[in-house]
Amino acid sequence: MAMAPPRKGENYELRQQLNSEYRDKRADAIKRVIANHTIGKDCSGLFPDVVKNMQTDDLEQKKLVYLYLMNYAKTQPELVILAVNTFVKDTADPNPLVRALAIRTMSILRAEKILDYLASPLSRCLKDENPYVRKTAALCVAKVFDLKPELCVEYGFVETLRDLIGDGNPMVVANAVAALADIYEASQNLPPTPPASPGRSSSPPPSSKPNSELFIIDPPTLTKLLVALNECSEWGRIAILNTLARYKALDEKESEHICERVMPQFQHVNAAVVLGAVKVIMIHMKAVTREDLIKSLTRKMAPPLVTLISSPPEVQWVALRNINLLLQKRPDILANEMRVFFCKYNDPPYVKVEKLDIMVRLASEKNVDTLLGELKEYASEVDVDFVRKAVRAVGQVAIKIDEAAERCVSVLMELIETRVSYVVQEAVIVIKDIFRKYPHSYEGIIPTLCSNLEELDEPEAKASLIWIIGEYAEKIENADELLGTFLETFKEESYPVQLQTLTAIVKLFLKKPDESQAIVQRVLQAATKDCDSADVRDRAYIYWRLLSSDPAAAKSVVLAIRPPISLPQTTVPPAILEELLSEVSSLASVYHKPAATFIGKGRLGAEEMQRRALEPEEDNAREKALQTVVAGQQAENLLDFDSDDIEPTSANSSSQNQSLSMFGNSSSASGHVGAGISSATLSNVAKSSNPLDELMDLFSTASMTTPQNQPQPIAPQSAFSGIQGLQDSTPSLNNDNTAPTRQQQQPHDAFAGLTGLSSPPQTLGSGSTSPNPPQQQQKQGGGGAQDDLLGLF
Amino acid sequence: MRSTKQAFFIFNQKGEVLISRLFRQDLKRSISDVFRIQVISNPDVRSPIITLGSTSFFHVRINNVYVVGVTKCNASAALVFEFLYRFITISRSYFSKLDEESVKNNFVLIYELLDEIIDFGFPQNSEIDTLKMYITTESIKSEMAVREDSSKITIQATGATSWRRSDVKYRKNEAFVDVIETVNLLMSKEGAVLRADVDGQILMRAYLSGTPECKFGLNDKLVLQKRGNEGTKSDDAVELDDCQFHQCVRLGKFDSDRSISFIPPDGEFELMRYRSTSNINLPFRLQTHVTEPSKSRVEYTIHLKANFDSKLNANNVILRIPTPLNTTGVQAKVGIGKAKYVPGENVIVWKIPRLQGAQECTLTAEADLAATTHRQAWSRPPIQVDFSVVMFTASGLLVRFLKVFEKSGYQSVKWVRYLSKANGSYQIRF
């Protein structure tokens, strides 16, 4: 050895042992090397000594040496060549286990040099008489493709793989399918045009770029796959099901055939097989028109889904997230199964929260009493987060089922009586939503709510109660007194509470002008002078001008009738729902977010997004705004892309949360409203801080629309905690037609704000100069991605 | 959906890597540090999947180790968890318990196993019996005296019946069937059954020579009705909501005529799982009377009745009766068994080693509470009853037949056992 290695230390000792004449000692030393490697010690220095032990009859020792090679081949590319001879010899060993082991290891050494020696053993092994070797070799092709695609093309490995689909052995078929699918995906990830370079270092030169025709599934292949599906191991079935999901059926009959053949897999014990089968059926069922078949498919789908709820918690959670998606598409599949979703006391919190969500989805007039009983029970549990969600669920049920609203309200009143602080606060927030849905129905409970005034210390709960007081000011005798208490602490309150106090007092004034002249003066003074929030100040100024110039207009704006809220059936836009349903059981379906938003090819994705955003530049401005919204829907979280290391959400998760929730709503609104542009402007209105600017935006500035919309796509990782329609509706109280805040908005509300505003635009227009600067600032503070995108326009 | 998993780790509680195996090059080893910081040292992780940047971590916690799968792509989450759990099962069958110590002692074996059960991120063969043929430890070596010829092994590991060798021979051909039912119950304060269902499991130990073809029959309502003899038998027929089978069962055949036919693996395996929700016989009834006469005292009267045939026995009946968090001491009186207050868990544990069918017994207890300023009412978690009752099925399921056909035409002996049990799933609110 050229460099004299140190003569002591552990590595020296190991080296001595590795070269020992005794077999046991050498075997022991190899084990110690592996142990050292596992705990992170660098053992690359021992490379030549370990490789010397490669030639042995002891299979276990051989495996360990191979394991060592896998880990260090990359660091010692020149030395790997030492091992090549043994490898090539082993691939022709009479023992099939050794042959398979050798080819398996050789193909993942990731050293260019060794690849050249790999080709001929690999083609031999692909045609080995032993299926075990063949199935191992099949995967090796995928490994080689990962490193050097042109090699696969050159030697025709991909064609051989295709031949292997017709192999007699199901395991070989399964692995061939898995390998082909992997190669197919890898080739998809290669850039569409030569100049663009992907992030992967090992990318091949474009000339050898294999096209997507690498893995075409034709009808004969389909038949082979369907046959193998029933014979191979559970993991193989998953691979085949994934491939079937990609297959485009020629006609309806073929779709039916696939569904019928896949259906028996529902009975498999492996949850991944069951969900894989659900996926394939959801995809191919779209083409099926035969009523009875659809019925039988959905009927047979339900029991296995329910059975998944008895799996270990993690699998259960995956199943629950997917069931949640399936219910958005087919709300009726589990209609009679609500009881299974009752939370067990010892379920992990993430499972409980999902079950709650599903229970609300399954709630109907028939089962609502049982459900409310359960929810009440949950509200007495210890986990604060879960208790709050249970209380929220009560409100959601009230809004979903008109007939049950009264019962829900009485449950909420019972909960308020427990006087547990967070329960009371949550209940108040929920009751505010109920008032939005059923105005003037349950006024009798207002006194009880007001008596809990001192209990409230969270901004959202306070703001909710203040909204209620303002809304029903004419019916609450001491409304001015109650609002007065909030006014006293006006300066210390958070902005949402300030905004609500302001609006509520103005409402009070409009309803009872005689008694509240003084208090409205005070609040306007306080808000315009002492407040450091531009939103609050601006809103106060608007009210002030409105009240002083045209009280009638003020009334029509501030006291306009708000459209009732409803529980959205879907939490994701229809297009994304379809996409997610075709990926059932994948990570995307668990997160309820398209895969492009969270996986590795982030930067590429971002470019793609930018490209898409740029395309409609020639089109007129409105179209452009619309396009951007759509693009935003498809890539919820642009921001995530650039953060590779640590959780990006923690810093500004709250604002992200809000923007996400808003996103969910606005997109569903776009479906309802129909006219795309209105959704763009709606969310726009909702987003910006100043109603005057919104008006401007409405009429002209599409270039501003775009950046304003962009923050929507910032989706936090925490998004999987569930985008619940109602939970987001909380801010609805923030805009009493005039001044939507930048916090969060429901589109309905935004719409209400819009109609309200459009009547007195002239009056408002006059005051539009001063509020502009703050809004500009806000835009710039919005985040890096925003800046990037701003540059685009 | 590219490969399923790109790396596999086992961590101990301190976040040290015990096992690490990377399947793809786009992951670095340092990724394990990210997991340690974000999951292990983070007290409020509320999801089994964490995505950081573009890397997703799937973890299962078992004893004092974390078993973790890592991927950078849109992998099938169900598959990863299924795999992690399968790994746990396999490890258990090799070295009985998966914990830090056993992982450290068996790391070579674990690497060997991983090599065989997952390749390039794709799970391969995970049949324990097959694996044991060629991945051996000292203990397993002695069990299987002769090491198989490796070409036979490979045929078996990939064969159409990868779960069975063709040359199995027994002098006495026997098959044991165990029907094990886990009873799930949630009963409200008022005694109404909110949820009662059974997760059943049929385990089989087959010691049969050759390649036996088995047919298995239950008193499943659908099957019986199909045979047209519903008039006579449908009363004691059981309605199964769903069944799931071991991969040896021909699913296509079950789908067409609900018959269960298969070539069993040699030795022990789980033949099927099922679920039943209608007409559940609850083996225990509980009447509770719990009052809080003052702020410093809770009084319990719990009346337990064994609701099954008096010829049968329940074993290891354990009631866990929650007490308020500020309990200082409990005086309990029981007619049978032993009751003890366990302060660490805030429960009174009432153990009855053996309880005959139709027998009744009562616990009376008083819990003293410390004075507290805590205003929140005690949330009263449900009482939990654990038990096992032999020769009793809560669903009423019975094995009607197990037929074994083999070309040599030997006679075989079959045994059936039934067991209903609950382990944390039988909950009664009070």
Side-chain angles (χ1 to χ4, degrees), chain B residues 3 18 31 34 37 57 61 75-76 90 140 149 165 187 203 214 267 271 284 306 328 362 380 386 395 414 420:
Chain B
S3 96
L18 301 179
I31 207 87
V34 179
I37 296 161
F57 296 84
R61 207 180 156 174
S76 161
I90 293 174
I140 285 164
D149 171 23
R165 287 177 293 160
M187 196 179 267
L203 300 181
C214 296
L271 175 64
F284 292 95
T328 53
T362 309
R380 294 198 180 193
D386 295 353
S395 67
K414 298 118 191 168
S420 287

Side-chain angles (χ1 to χ4, degrees), chain A residues 546-563:
Chain A
L546 262 176
L547 291 175
S548 55
S549 57
D550 188 354
K555 227 172 197 169
S556 71
V557 169
V558 180
L559 299 180
I561 294 167
R562 275 158 295 281

Side-chain angles (χ1 to χ4, degrees), chain A residues 47-320:
Chain A
F47 199 93
D49 308 279
V50 177
V51 171
K52 270 183 212 157
N53 287 290
M54 197 166 151
Q55 230 162 1
T56 165
D57 296 334
D58 183 356
L59 199 56
E60 189 183 328
Q61 186 181 333
K62 199 183 263 299
K63 281 182 184 168
L64 288 177
V65 176
Y66 280 4
L67 183 67
Y68 177 90
L69 281 174
M70 278 181 240
N71 289 319
Y72 288 109
K74 231 179 138 191
T75 57
Q76 308 269 349
E78 321 79 40
L79 292 176
V80 173
I81 223 77
L82 294 176
V84 165
N85 259 334
T86 321
F87 269 128
V88 175
K89 217 170 97 203
D90 280 354
T91 58
D93 196 276
N95 185 339
L97 283 176
V98 176
R99 292 204 294 275
L101 182 66
I103 197 77
R104 182 167 66 205
T105 314
M106 208 172 162
S107 57
I108 46 174
L109 287 186
R110 308 214 160 274
E112 285 276 330
K113 281 196 182 135
I114 221 164
L115 275 180
D116 301 329
Y117 296 91
L118 179 65
S120 76
L122 182 54
S123 24
R124 202 168 55 228
C125 284
L126 279 169
K127 299 193 170 78
D128 200 286
E129 42 142 37
N130 191 303
Y132 184 83
V133 182
R134 286 204 302 276
K135 71 118 185 159
T136 311
L139 280 186
C140 291
V141 177
K143 296 177 199 171
V144 174
F145 190 90
D146 209 34
L147 279 177
K148 209 173 176 188
E150 62 270 31
L151 197 74
C152 288
V153 178
E154 197 180 319
Y155 285 87
F157 289 149
V158 181
E159 281 79 49
T160 320
L161 267 190
R162 276 203 288 265
D163 295 342
L164 283 182
I165 294 183
D167 198 285
N169 185 298
M171 191 102 163
V172 178
V173 179
N175 272 4
V177 167
L180 279 171
D182 197 75
I183 290 172
Y184 170 79
E185 292 249 353
S187 62
Q188 294 283 303
N189 289 334
L190 299 176
T193 45
S197 79
R200 292 149 47 110
S201 54
S202 61
S203 68
S207 58
S208 69
K209 183 179 69 73
N211 47 32
S212 55
E213 282 154 30
L214 277 174
F215 187 22
I216 308 165
I217 315 162
D218 47 13
T221 319
L222 177 71
T223 319
K224 286 178 202 160
L225 290 179
L226 288 175
V227 170
L229 180 62
N230 272 318
E231 287 174 353
C232 65
S233 78
E234 49 203 313
W235 314 113
R237 290 182 201 214
I238 297 166
I240 294 179
L241 286 170
N242 283 343
T243 304
L244 287 177
R246 240 186 57 218
Y247 178 70
K248 305 253 179 308
L250 296 176
D251 50 27
E252 189 183 337
K253 232 176 134 206
E254 202 172 55
S255 297
E256 282 178 13
H257 180 63
I258 294 174
C259 287
E260 277 162 357
R261 291 292 295 269
V262 168
M263 200 156 56
Q265 303 304 324
F266 284 158
Q267 252 62 52
H268 203 282
V269 75
N270 186 316
V273 176
V274 174
L275 285 174
V278 169
K279 169 171 72 179
V280 173
I281 292 204
M282 287 306 285
I283 290 170
H284 289 287
M285 204 161 72
K286 283 185 221 156
V288 176
T289 48
R290 243 173 63 202
E291 275 304 316
D292 59 320
L293 182 60
I294 294 182
K295 229 182 191 162
S296 113
L297 285 172
T298 39
R299 204 191 63 231
K300 288 205 172 169
M301 199 183 286
L305 286 176
V306 173
T307 303
L308 294 179
I309 309 304
S310 324
S311 332
E314 291 85 2
V315 181
Q316 218 181 103
W317 182 66
V318 172
L320 286 168

Side-chain angles (χ1 to χ4, degrees), chain B residues 327-342:
Chain B
T327 304
T328 53
V330 174
Q331 298 84 45
K333 261 195 277 179
V334 287
I336 181 169
K338 275 183 190 153
K340 201 173 80 186
Y341 171 59
V342 182

Side-chain angles (χ1 to χ4, degrees), chain B residues 162-418:
Chain B
S162 67
W163 52 87
R164 190 177 180 91
R165 287 177 293 160
S166 55
D167 58 346
V168 186
K169 272 206 185 71
Y170 289 98
R171 209 189 298 155
K172 197 173 161 195
N173 289 296
E174 287 180 299
F176 300 86
V177 177
D178 284 337
V179 179
I180 299 172
E181 299 200 330
T182 305
V183 190
N184 296 308
L185 172 77
L186 187 59
M187 196 179 267
S188 74
K189 284 187 184 77
E190 292 77 26
V193 175
L194 296 173
R195 172 186 177 189
D197 52 68
V198 163
D199 289 319
Q201 215 185 0
I202 297 185
L203 300 181
M204 192 165 162
R205 276 172 297 151
Y207 304 112
L208 300 166
S209 313
T211 314
E213 175 73 44
C214 296
K215 274 199 155 185
F216 188 66
L218 300 166
N219 58 339
D220 173 5
K221 206 170 217 165
L222 279 175
V223 176
L224 294 181
Q225 276 172 4
K226 210 159 236 166
R227 305 254 158 83
N229 50 2
E230 52 200 291
T232 50
K233 275 191 179 162
S234 62
D235 285 347
D236 48 295
V238 170
E239 199 174 320
L240 297 184
D241 292 40
D242 185 31
C243 350
Q244 296 178 308
F245 297 100
H246 184 269
Q247 56 172 321
C248 69
V249 176
R250 298 187 182 93
L251 296 180
K253 216 154 173 340
F254 178 79
D255 193 56
S256 59
D257 61 0
R258 307 264 305 176
S259 72
I260 303 168
S261 65
F262 55 97
I263 297 170
D266 190 39
E268 187 172 342
F269 68 103
E270 184 192 66
L271 175 64
M272 71 180 277
R273 284 186 210 164
Y274 60 90
R275 195 163 48 80
S276 175
T277 48
S278 43
N279 301 322
I280 304 297
N281 308 312
L282 295 174
F284 292 95
R285 287 275 172 187
L286 216 57
Q287 282 172 349
T288 55
H289 186 69
V290 180
T291 51
E292 295 169 58
S294 73
K295 282 206 164 148
S296 61
R297 213 152 56 102
V298 182
E299 291 179 359
Y300 297 84
T301 312
I302 312 272
H303 190 72
L304 176 75
K305 187 180 177 204
N307 207 11
F308 45 84
D309 194 286
S310 59
K311 286 185 212 116
L312 304 177
N313 281 307
N315 297 319
N316 299 323
V317 181
I318 301 172
L319 279 80
R320 290 173 195 279
I321 304 152
T323 58
L325 297 177
N326 52 340
T327 304
T328 53
V330 174
Q331 298 84 45
K333 261 195 277 179
V334 287
I336 181 169
K338 275 183 190 153
K340 201 173 80 186
Y341 171 59
V342 182
E345 299 169 46
N346 282 305
V347 286
I348 305 169
V349 177
W350 179 14
K351 284 187 184 168
I352 307 168
R354 196 180 170 86
L355 191 68
Q356 216 179 356
Q359 203 176 352
E360 297 180 32
C361 50
T362 309
L363 167 141
T364 50
E366 265 184 40
D368 300 318
L369 311 182
T372 170
T373 50
H374 198 54
R375 208 173 47 158
Q376 186 178 353
W378 172 40
S379 68
R380 294 198 180 193
I383 296 177
Q384 189 180 311
V385 187
D386 295 353
F387 55 82
S388 55
V389 187
V390 183
M391 296 317 277
F392 172 85
T393 50
S395 67
L397 185 96
L398 294 170
V399 176
R400 286 179 56 239
F401 59 83
L402 170 65
K403 292 176 190 157
V404 179
F405 308 97
E406 217 279 331
K407 46 181 187 288
S408 65
Y410 57 73
Q411 292 292 309
S412 53
V413 189
K414 298 118 191 168
W415 307 87
V416 184
R417 270 198 311 188
Y418 300 95

Side-chain angles (χ1 to χ4, degrees), chain A residues 510-537:
Chain A
L510 289 169
K511 286 175 175 172
K512 299 195 228 168
D514 308 331
E515 307 153 33
S516 40
Q517 184 89 37
I519 191 171
V520 83
Q521 282 288 348
R522 262 169 63 211
V523 78
L524 290 174
Q525 286 278 347
T528 48
K529 282 209 180 117
D530 304 335
C531 182
D532 48 7
S533 156
D535 288 345
V536 179
R537 257 193 338 255

Side-chain angles (χ1 to χ4, degrees), chain A residues 486-506 518-545 547 739:
Chain A
F486 285 105
L487 187 52
E488 270 157 36
T489 53
F490 191 78
K491 264 196 275 180
E492 291 92 65
E493 299 288 1
S494 62
Y495 298 141
V497 178
Q498 289 186 350
L499 284 170
Q500 275 323 305
T501 314
L502 175 62
T503 307
I505 292 179
V506 171
I519 191 171
V520 83
Q521 282 288 348
R522 262 169 63 211
V523 78
L524 290 174
Q525 286 278 347
T528 48
K529 282 209 180 117
D530 304 335
C531 182
D532 48 7
S533 156
D535 288 345
V536 179
R537 257 193 338 255
D538 289 348
R539 197 191 279 197
Y541 276 124
I542 294 164
Y543 283 143
W544 207 328
R545 288 212 176 95
L547 291 175

